[in-house]
């Protein structure tokens, strides 16, 4: 238990903002490190190695567990990043489960770890063309999630019509049958909360209208980023 993992932040209770867990009270454990470099990433402080070195506290799995046990009172804990699947969390997941926590993991879905079998909910969030990372999509890894695990859902953040077409093609992929969520992305560089919320609602109406006119997408679930509507672009909430 001597390996050190970069912990960016541990916070909560708060509300899960997106995907299948949207609206549920949870706490968040954010780990550093990610194989992607999305151009619109809103957590670059947990992705860029220079920022990770500046922001992270390097902790063993035992130390992380103690910190969670002391601070987290919510039944659910969401492990996110970056991409937490970069790390071998076998021991931490086992200790959390033994203590009674329910675990949600957020990942872009390009990586796989056996410890994922022991969590209660997984949100796969493959990145569309606007991210600059759509070429990293690995259908075979997504199939492994589908064929191995229960309680897996897929969420795509939509910024424009190209993203929508990409998400639609993914949704129609016969070998992937996940519950499918769409959410509208938040433009980076905006600091006025009202401007952010206005843009989200405008994008949401646009997405509603597209989906309502596309019979192949009638079984998707469309949600705003609830945390952004509530707290704007603040972090740690």
């Amino acid at each position: 238990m001597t390996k050190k993992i970069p912990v960016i932040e541990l916070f909560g209770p708060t509300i899960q903002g997106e995907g299948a867990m949207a609206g549920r009270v949870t706490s968040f454990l954010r780990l550093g490190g990610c194989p992607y470099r999305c151009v619109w990433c809103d957590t670059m402080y947990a992705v860029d190695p220079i920022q990770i070195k500046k922001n992270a506290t390097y902790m063993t799995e035992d130390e992380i567990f103690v910190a969670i046990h002391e601070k987290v009172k919510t039944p659910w804990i969401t492990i996110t990043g970056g991409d937490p699947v970069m790390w071998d969390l076998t021991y931490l997941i086992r200790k959390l489960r033994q203590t009674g926590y329910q675990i949600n993991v957020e990942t872009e879905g390009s990586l796989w770890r056996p410890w994922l079998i022991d969590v209660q909910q997984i949100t796969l969030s493959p990145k569309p063309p606007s991210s600059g990372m759509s070429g990293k999509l690995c259908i075979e890894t997504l199939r492994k999630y589908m064929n191995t695990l229960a309680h897996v859902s897929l969420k795509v953040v939509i910024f424009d019509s190209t993203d929508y077409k990409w998400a639609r093609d993914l949704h129609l992929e016969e070998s992937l049958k996940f519950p499918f969520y769409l959410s509208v992305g938040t433009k980076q560089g905006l600091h006025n909360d009202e401007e952010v919320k206005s843009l989200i609602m405008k994008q949401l109406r646009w997405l509603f209208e597209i989906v309502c006119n596309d019979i192949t997408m009638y079984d998707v679930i469309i949600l705003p980023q609830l945390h952004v509507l509530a707290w704007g672009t603040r972090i740690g909430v």
Side-chain angles (χ1 to χ4, degrees):
M1 295 303 106
T2 58
K3 71 177 185 292
K4 298 278 188 172
I5 297 169
V7 176
I8 304 299
E9 52 189 349
L10 173 63
F11 64 92
T14 188
I15 299 297
Q16 173 66 43
E18 300 177 87
M21 292 276 293
R24 186 183 290 274
V25 176
T26 186
S27 296
F28 277 82
L29 171 68
R30 187 180 306 281
L31 304 181
C34 186
Y36 283 26
R37 296 294 183 272
C38 298
V39 298
W40 39 248
C41 179
D42 59 357
T43 55
M44 190 56 69
Y45 58 94
V47 171
D48 174 57
I50 294 175
Q51 295 189 55
I52 291 172
K53 187 175 181 180
K54 177 182 177 181
N55 296 318
T57 301
Y58 286 82
M59 304 170 71
T60 65
E61 289 180 275
D62 259 326
E63 290 170 335
I64 296 172
F65 172 76
V66 170
I68 291 171
H69 191 59
E70 290 178 348
K71 183 174 182 179
V72 173
K73 306 306 178 186
T74 56
W76 279 93
I77 182 162
T78 296
I79 304 179
T80 187
D83 187 350
V85 186
M86 289 185 67
W87 302 101
D88 181 1
L89 303 179
T90 304
Y91 175 80
L92 176 62
I93 297 301
R94 184 168 65 247
K95 288 283 287 182
L96 291 173
R97 288 300 315 278
Q98 289 172 349
T99 314
Y101 289 104
Q102 298 186 80
I103 304 165
N104 174 43
V105 172
E106 298 181 335
T107 173
E108 90 286 316
S110 67
L111 305 172
W112 166 264
R113 294 275 187 176
W115 57 259
L116 291 162
I117 295 170
D118 293 323
V119 308
Q120 284 71 48
Q121 181 70 42
I122 298 173
T123 301
L124 303 175
S125 185
K127 307 307 178 186
S130 65
S131 71
M133 295 287 110
S134 59
K136 288 181 172 286
L137 177 70
C138 181
I139 293 292
E140 288 302 319
T141 304
L142 296 182
R143 288 191 187 116
K144 185 175 181 67
Y145 276 90
M146 186 188 70
N147 294 330
T148 308
L149 305 174
H151 309 301
V152 179
S153 63
L154 195 148
K155 180 199 72 182
V156 179
V157 178
I158 305 295
F159 279 84
D160 54 35
S161 57
T162 302
D163 285 354
Y164 178 76
K165 182 180 183 304
W166 186 89
R168 183 179 187 272
D169 290 344
L170 187 61
H171 182 53
L172 295 177
E173 170 62 49
E174 286 297 325
S175 63
L176 300 176
K177 293 302 178 187
F178 299 108
F180 202 96
Y181 292 78
L182 300 179
S183 65
V184 293
T186 303
K187 183 179 179 181
Q188 298 303 295
L190 299 177
H191 302 290
N192 182 291
D193 285 354
E194 293 308 313
E195 186 178 9
V196 170
K197 293 173 186 177
S198 176
L199 181 60
I200 288 175
M201 298 311 296
K202 180 179 179 181
Q203 287 290 95
L204 197 59
R205 288 193 297 270
W206 166 77
L207 187 56
F208 284 163
E209 290 169 0
I210 288 180
V211 170
C212 286
N213 285 285
D214 184 350
I215 195 171
T216 67
M217 297 288 274
Y218 280 3
D219 57 342
V220 304
I221 301 166
I222 306 169
L223 294 172
Q225 293 178 309
L226 298 178
H227 55 295
V228 180
L229 289 178
W231 292 290
T233 56
R234 288 169 55 195
I235 64 175
V237 293

